Amino acid sequence: MKNVAVIGAGTMGNGIAHTFAQSGFKVKLIDISEDALKKGIATITKNLDRMVSKEKITEVLKQETLGNISTYTSINDGVQNVSLVVEAATENINLKLKIFKQLDEVCDKETILATNTSSISITQIAAETSRPDMVIGMHFMNPVPIMKLVEIIRGYNTSDDVTNTIMELSKVLSKIPVEVNDYPGFVANRILMPMLNESIETLYNGVAGVSEIDTVMKLGMAHPMGPLQLADFIGLDVCLSILNVMYEGFKNPKYAPCPLLVNMVRAGKLGVKSGEGFYDYSESRKAEKVAKQFV
């Protein structure tokens, strides 16, 4: 398995492409937007430059990594002759179902179809295909080139062979795979998102301010980043989407998103990517400073 395709050139997609390419895989990075592809390659190049400057990789490996990536604006063209497709599009169930239906029609029958979803049912996604046994979740953590964990999520029909293959593949990427079962939020977000939501509720109820809440969690619980800052980094729209999936999946009010979170997303205050969330990132250097903490 040396040829893979990654769908989506955003934060997660370009990080996944970077990771595969740096490990020697030939990667086809696919996005319907040519601008998104250019930005994705620019991000990968910038991250590689940072790694070279810190002497984590050589200039030769940087050039080899970039040489391993080709870009496509067509799914049909990009997924030809690949052994694995990793979908990393927006966390939207209707979009993902549409993509997987298309992938099933145009990919080789032996191609494994993986999704980087952080909360949506693998079983539901797999049901859109004629190969549910070959559909699996690969939930990478952000920033992908740095974070070691990959949640490997089995759908109801995912085969043992496919699961074992993806577990071993993750190790080749120098990641630590953890197998989990297919329930809303899986493990990482089922635990993380209620904590972030409760932190937002604490702010909403006037218990403490933004910096105070984050300071308590950083100094008292040894978290490297406060929960509100982390929510900004993830994207408040992403947090809201995941909480909604969990709330719909479990019908349990403890997963209902805080009204403050809902209103901030409606107002376009999405965190780092929009320039404002619980913190102000209006100056580009502020956002860059936050991102650099993790690289």
Side-chain angles (χ1 to χ4, degrees), residues 12 16 86-88 91 96 114-118 138-140:
M12 296 305 294
I16 294 167
V86 182
E87 172 272 320
E91 192 75 350
K96 290 186 186 294
T115 173
N116 182 60
T117 181
S118 54
M138 290 185 79
H139 180 207
F140 291 86

Side-chain angles (χ1 to χ4, degrees), residues 211-285:
S211 62
E212 289 78 10
I213 292 169
D214 278 355
T215 298
V216 167
M217 296 305 290
K218 286 191 287 186
L219 299 184
M221 312 305 167
H223 291 192
M225 177 185 281
L228 299 177
Q229 188 181 17
L230 177 57
D232 275 354
F233 186 71
I234 293 170
L236 301 190
D237 54 336
V238 176
C239 293
L240 178 60
S241 175
I242 296 170
L243 284 165
N244 281 331
V245 168
M246 294 169 65
Y247 181 59
E248 289 298 318
F250 291 114
K251 305 298 182 184
N252 188 324
K254 75 177 181 178
Y255 299 115
C258 175
L260 175 58
L261 174 62
V262 175
N263 276 343
M264 289 180 71
V265 172
R266 285 174 177 167
K269 300 182 187 300
L270 309 181
V272 173
K273 61 186 171 186
S274 71
E276 185 178 357
F278 294 106
Y279 293 88
D280 183 5
Y281 309 92
S282 55
E283 297 176 33
S284 60
R285 63 178 180 273

Side-chain angles (χ1 to χ4, degrees), residues 177-199:
V178 177
E179 182 182 337
V180 305
N181 290 318
D182 186 21
Y183 292 96
F186 316 132
V187 172
N189 281 320
R190 183 167 179 175
I191 295 171
L192 175 63
M193 286 301 155
M195 184 192 76
L196 299 187
N197 197 45
E198 192 62 31
S199 302

Side-chain angles (χ1 to χ4, degrees), residues 14-281:
N14 71 60
I16 294 167
H18 173 166
T19 300
F20 272 100
Q22 190 175 317
S23 297
F25 291 81
K26 296 295 183 182
V27 181
K28 298 180 177 183
L29 182 59
I30 306 166
D31 199 294
I32 58 173
S33 167
E34 187 67 46
D35 286 342
L37 288 168
K38 290 178 180 178
K39 289 178 182 178
I41 295 298
T43 298
I44 294 170
T45 303
K46 185 176 181 180
N47 289 336
L48 287 168
D49 284 337
R50 189 176 295 128
M51 295 173 79
V52 171
S53 68
K54 293 186 176 184
E55 299 184 345
K56 292 183 177 181
I57 64 170
T58 64
E59 179 67 25
V60 171
L61 180 54
K62 170 198 163 182
Q63 295 301 330
E64 289 177 350
T65 300
L66 291 172
N68 283 334
I69 304 172
S70 54
T71 59
Y72 296 80
T73 54
S74 164
I75 287 180
N76 289 18
D77 293 337
V79 300
Q80 297 303 311
N81 302 314
V82 299
S83 301
L84 170 69
V85 179
V86 182
E87 172 272 320
T90 304
E91 192 75 350
N92 177 292
I93 180 61
N94 292 325
L95 175 61
K96 290 186 186 294
L97 295 180
K98 180 180 177 181
I99 289 173
F100 271 78
K101 184 175 182 180
Q102 182 178 356
L103 290 175
D104 186 49
E105 293 171 353
V106 300
C107 288
D108 294 339
K109 293 302 179 184
E110 297 77 19
T111 301
I112 296 173
L113 307 181
T115 173
N116 182 60
T117 181
S118 54
S119 61
I120 297 169
S121 169
I122 308 303
T123 302
Q124 183 178 3
I125 292 172
E128 287 295 306
T129 76
S130 62
R131 62 183 94 185
D133 58 317
M134 299 187 72
V135 177
I136 194 166
M138 290 185 79
H139 180 207
F140 291 86
M141 304 294 126
N142 185 28
V144 181
I146 305 300
M147 300 292 278
K148 290 293 186 182
L149 175 66
V150 183
E151 272 189 308
I152 307 299
I153 307 105
R154 295 184 64 137
Y156 188 84
N157 292 301
T158 307
S159 71
D160 290 340
D161 285 345
V162 166
T163 301
N164 293 335
T165 296
I166 297 302
M167 291 285 285
E168 292 304 313
L169 174 65
S170 299
K171 295 174 185 177
V172 173
L173 299 176
S174 298
K175 302 299 183 185
I176 299 174
V178 177
E179 182 182 337
V180 305
N181 290 318
D182 186 21
Y183 292 96
F186 316 132
V187 172
N189 281 320
R190 183 167 179 175
I191 295 171
L192 175 63
M193 286 301 155
M195 184 192 76
L196 299 187
N197 197 45
E198 192 62 31
S199 302
I200 300 169
E201 286 278 1
T202 302
L203 176 66
Y204 180 58
N205 292 329
V207 178
V210 171
S211 62
E212 289 78 10
I213 292 169
D214 278 355
T215 298
V216 167
M217 296 305 290
K218 286 191 287 186
L219 299 184
M221 312 305 167
H223 291 192
M225 177 185 281
L228 299 177
Q229 188 181 17
L230 177 57
D232 275 354
F233 186 71
I234 293 170
L236 301 190
D237 54 336
V238 176
C239 293
L240 178 60
S241 175
I242 296 170
L243 284 165
N244 281 331
V245 168
M246 294 169 65
Y247 181 59
E248 289 298 318
F250 291 114
K251 305 298 182 184
N252 188 324
K254 75 177 181 178
Y255 299 115
C258 175
L260 175 58
L261 174 62
V262 175
N263 276 343
M264 289 180 71
V265 172
R266 285 174 177 167
K269 300 182 187 300
L270 309 181
V272 173
K273 61 186 171 186
S274 71
E276 185 178 357
F278 294 106
Y279 293 88
D280 183 5
Y281 309 92

